[in-house]
Structure formats: C-alpha cells, structure tokens
Amino acid sequence: DDVTHSGTWHAQLSGSKTWLIRPNAKAEDDWIHSPPDLAHVKGAERSEGGAGRAWRLRIHVEEGDLMVLNTRAWYHRTELQPSEWWSISLARDFHLPVAQIVCPVGVKKSEIVLDEDDIPDNIPTKSGGNCALVEVDEDDGETQIVLVAL
C-alpha cells in the first residue's frame, strides 16, 4: 500500500479483535535508526510460513480499547475469534503536521549546521524545508542530535 497518512486509530466498540503486527523494514523514513528487532521482545512470536519467518507481535484488544498504529511502519492484519457477539470497531486515518526545518542559504548538502547544544528550542520551519534533525554516533560511543543540510 502507498500510505500517505501518519497512522490510523482504531476504537474497539464491541467484542474483541487480535492484531498481528511486524515492522516494515522498507519504511525507512518511519524509523530513527532501523526497524525494531522483535526477536528478544517478550511475547513476540514467529510468523507462519517458510524458513525466513519474521517476528511479530500479537495484540488483543477488547471493547473500549483504542489501538493507534503507524500503518506505514508496521505490516498488520487482524483475526476475529469465534464468538456469539459482533466485533465492531471504528477506524480513522490521521495526519500529523510535519515541520520542515529551514537552514541558512548556501549550506552544502550533508553539512552539519548546528550541534545539539546550539539547536534552538524554536527552530524555524516552513513548507519545503532544507534541513533535518539527525542522531549521529560520536567517537566515544555516545550519540548526539545535530542539524544537517539536505
């Protein structure tokens, strides 16, 4: 799917539903570093299928629960258990504002514009920004946030 929204919320109005979700490694823009490795997450399970089965999470929702999911970043499907009650849910896509950061004119692509300590709390933004906040690894093993020209 070509998902253009920020995610979807699902309100379970009656009955129950089970969600099976696993990270979408191709959704590079939705992960800070890389998709989570679910192999060591308590309760994670292997998907059915061949030898390269992916790890996934099984999430059970009941009446009154609200499930919020970035459907670009997570592959998902649902299962309904046999029941005499209907499973009814309401879903809605939502769009979060994406602030695009503005760098000074003449900055070269990939150049670090500001270090973490120099980044102001209110960074100027506008449509068509030309910078991004990026987490970088330092020589001492620590990480810091920097502003980088795109």
Side-chain angles (χ1 to χ4, degrees):
D1 292 347
D2 184 21
V3 179
T4 60
H5 51 79
S6 301
T8 307
W9 60 260
H10 301 261
Q12 190 67 33
L13 303 178
S14 70
S16 64
K17 182 183 294 184
T18 301
W19 288 78
L20 300 164
I21 64 171
R22 64 184 173 87
N24 175 3
K26 296 177 184 174
E28 296 170 359
D29 293 341
D30 293 297
W31 304 110
I32 294 172
H33 294 291
S34 59
D37 179 7
L38 300 180
H40 304 288
V41 173
K42 184 178 181 178
E45 63 186 33
R46 289 277 198 175
S47 301
E48 297 96 9
R53 300 175 303 155
W55 287 93
R56 68 182 180 192
L57 298 174
R58 181 179 293 267
I59 302 167
H60 188 74
V61 296
E62 300 278 344
E63 182 176 330
D65 288 345
L66 179 68
M67 172 86 170
V68 180
L69 184 68
N70 179 340
T71 50
R72 274 191 321 265
W74 293 89
Y75 291 119
H76 56 283
R77 71 180 178 114
T78 60
E79 294 178 348
L80 299 176
Q81 300 302 317
S83 172
E84 60 186 60
W85 301 102
W86 286 48
S87 174
I88 301 173
S89 62
L90 176 67
R92 180 78 176 158
D93 296 341
F94 62 89
H95 299 265
L96 297 174
V98 178
Q100 297 179 324
I101 303 168
V102 180
C103 278
V105 176
V107 178
K108 294 180 184 159
K109 184 177 182 179
S110 301
E111 182 178 341
I112 293 177
V113 179
L114 294 172
D115 288 322
E116 188 170 297
D117 295 333
D118 300 322
I119 298 172
D121 290 336
N122 296 320
I123 299 173
T125 61
K126 72 171 188 174
S127 178
N130 59 348
C131 280
L133 293 172
V134 178
E135 188 175 35
V136 295
D137 296 322
E138 298 290 318
D139 294 334
D140 61 3
E142 297 292 316
T143 60
Q144 83 163 315
I145 304 292
V146 297
L147 186 64
V148 177
L150 301 176

